[in-house]
Structures are given as structure tokens and as C-alpha cells.
Amino acid sequence: MIFILFIIEVYSLQFQSFVHIIPHPDKVAKGGEDAYYANENLLAVADGVGGWNNHGVDPSKYSKTLCENIKEYSHLENPKQIMQIASELTNHILGSSTLVIMKLIDNVLKVANIGDCGYTIIRNQEILHQSEEQQHSFNFPFQLGSQGDSAQLAQEFEHVLQINDILIVGSDGLYDNLDQNQILNLINEYGVSQKSAQLLAKTSFQYSLDKTYNSPFAQRAQKSRIRFIGGKSDDITVIVARIINNNEL
């Protein structure tokens, strides 16, 4: 009798990620109002809602505390559960924030997204998925906060990923100023690196200051019958990540 032994290599996937942040020109001193957390299997970007400045409240306190609480519960597998717990622990702070949070479990990416932070998945130099904004009305995103929306309203998604898939995760400062094809072209040219994260952020920033640019934000405004032209000046946070075998690091 002949026995044939098959040896199957078992591996798990993880993120190799790079981050770049450019604050709004008026918010450089405090580092902007965006926040993020990233490890080998979780990525999160939060955008403190700037309207709180009009009420004497610093929006960065909510978004940054939110990400600190996400870090504490990043071991949980369900991103919506992490979002729920983190927001409940943050709601003693006056303010609010949009948030996208994603957890990689084996080869499945689980996503919870509330508001207008976003993400892009690229495979083989093509867009596999582009998230959409979650808005009450134009420029009024769903948002976590003591006076905001429940995490239960967050959209949930699952994606089956492969090695070398690319993720772009960003605040609306990215997606208000660059469309998915501009993002794709830059990534296809520069790959996944600190340089590509910097270039995405810097290119978004340059367009955000251009008063004649027909930005994605301007196009959405026009669809809502609001007269607006130019880029959208804002904090810009960009995470660029590649899916790798954990043996690669």
C-alpha cells in the first residue's frame, strides 16, 4: 500500500501599510482634525466634523480619542462592534466624527463605514471596489457622536482579498479632491510605498487649493444644484496598504 503525503502551506494575510497626513492650512498647529489607527490587520480613518469649531469645540479631540479606543479593542473581529464600543467610550467628549474601519481576517476584509471617509480596492491595476458616501444631505455626512448617529447605522461590507491587492483608505479630504481614476493612475505608476501615500495626499492638497478645479466635491455639489467650483480645502489622511503573506515581513 502506498501512502501519499500532501503538505499544505498554511498562511494568513496582513496589511503592509503606509500613512501620510496633511492638515488643513488653518489647522496645522494642532495637526488637523483627522485621526487614524493602523496595525497588521486593522485600518481605521476618522474625520472630526469641522462644524464643531463654530461652537467653540475642537473636533480633533473626538476623532483622536475615538481612534485611541479603536486601538484598545482592535483584537475584536467585527469592525462594527469595534465602532460601537469605541464610539460609546468616546461619547463623553463633545464632538462627532465620520469613520471607516476595516478588519482583515484570513482573506476576508470586513468593513464598517459611517459618513464620508472612504476606501478603494485595486486588483491587477484595476478598481475592484470604490466606496460611496453615506450622507443625510449634501455635505452633511452620517457621523458618530454624543449628538450624532448610532454606529448601528454604519454600512457593512465584506470583500475576499488576494495577495498583492491594494487598499487606499482616506478621509474625505482625499476623495473630495481626487476621483478613483486619478487614484488608480497614481498607484499604478508608483505602487505601494510611503512615496505613493505622500503623493496621493500632496496631489489632493494641491487640488484642494485650486479655485478653478472641477473637483469631485464640486461635481457632487452641482448634482445637488449647489453652485460651487474648485477643490475642497480640508485635512487629508491617506493610508496605502498592500495585502501580503505574513511571512513576507
Side-chain angles (χ1 to χ4, degrees):
M1 181 178 295
I2 300 174
F3 294 93
I4 300 176
L5 177 63
F6 292 95
I7 299 177
I8 301 175
E9 181 180 5
V10 178
Y11 60 87
S12 60
L13 304 182
Q14 66 183 62
F15 300 122
Q16 179 187 40
S17 61
F18 304 90
V19 185
H20 196 74
I21 299 173
I22 300 179
H24 184 286
D26 296 336
K27 304 172 185 178
V28 173
K30 65 177 177 180
E33 296 162 356
D34 286 354
Y36 80 95
Y37 176 67
N39 66 23
E40 69 276 3
N41 58 22
L42 186 144
L43 304 174
V45 172
D47 179 0
V49 175
W52 284 100
N53 285 301
N54 299 328
H55 302 280
V57 175
D58 181 358
S60 69
K61 292 182 179 179
Y62 189 95
S63 60
K64 291 176 181 178
T65 304
L66 182 66
C67 284
E68 290 171 3
N69 288 325
I70 288 169
K71 179 180 179 180
E72 291 301 312
Y73 288 87
S74 60
H75 61 280
L76 298 177
E77 292 193 351
N78 186 329
K80 194 168 188 177
Q81 182 185 15
I82 299 171
M83 179 183 289
Q84 180 74 53
I85 295 171
S87 62
E88 289 174 353
L89 291 173
T90 310
N91 281 349
H92 67 283
I93 297 174
L94 195 59
S96 59
S97 179
T98 62
L99 174 66
V100 58
I101 179 170
M102 52 187 61
K103 185 71 180 278
L104 183 62
I105 303 170
D106 296 324
N107 67 333
V108 177
L109 183 72
K110 296 184 176 183
V111 182
N113 190 15
I114 189 163
D116 56 7
C117 289
Y119 68 102
T120 309
I121 303 176
I122 298 170
R123 176 178 296 165
N124 298 326
Q125 298 190 322
E126 295 183 353
I127 300 289
L128 184 66
H129 178 84
Q130 175 61 60
S131 64
E132 296 184 1
E133 295 179 327
Q134 188 186 26
Q135 300 265 10
H136 290 288
S137 59
F138 175 72
N139 206 30
F140 179 22
F142 281 58
Q143 54 201 265
L144 303 170
S146 55
Q147 300 177 24
D149 299 297
S150 167
Q152 292 303 312
L153 296 176
Q155 299 171 318
E156 294 180 275
F157 305 92
E158 286 193 6
H159 308 278
V160 177
L161 299 184
Q162 302 174 3
I163 289 176
N164 290 325
D165 283 350
I166 297 170
L167 278 82
I168 313 300
V169 190
S171 60
D172 63 335
L174 170 66
Y175 289 100
D176 282 345
N177 292 296
L178 293 181
D179 64 29
Q180 63 181 24
N181 289 321
Q182 291 170 303
I183 292 171
L184 177 66
N185 290 339
L186 195 150
I187 290 297
N188 285 348
E189 182 173 357
Y190 293 98
V192 176
S193 63
Q194 188 63 51
K195 181 177 181 179
S196 60
Q198 290 173 346
L199 284 173
L200 280 171
K202 289 180 179 179
T203 304
S204 299
F205 180 73
Q206 290 167 357
Y207 278 129
S208 76
L209 304 178
D210 186 340
K211 302 300 183 183
T212 63
Y213 173 52
N214 190 24
S215 65
F217 181 84
Q219 294 171 37
R220 291 193 296 271
Q222 292 154 19
K223 288 180 181 178
S224 298
R225 299 185 178 181
I226 297 171
R227 296 184 65 181
F228 182 89
I229 191 66
K232 174 69 159 49
S233 190
D234 204 347
D235 300 317
I236 299 166
T237 296
V238 179
I239 301 177
V240 176
R242 184 170 68 97
I243 304 302
I244 63 170
N245 181 334
N246 63 357
N247 293 328
E248 289 186 49
L249 291 181

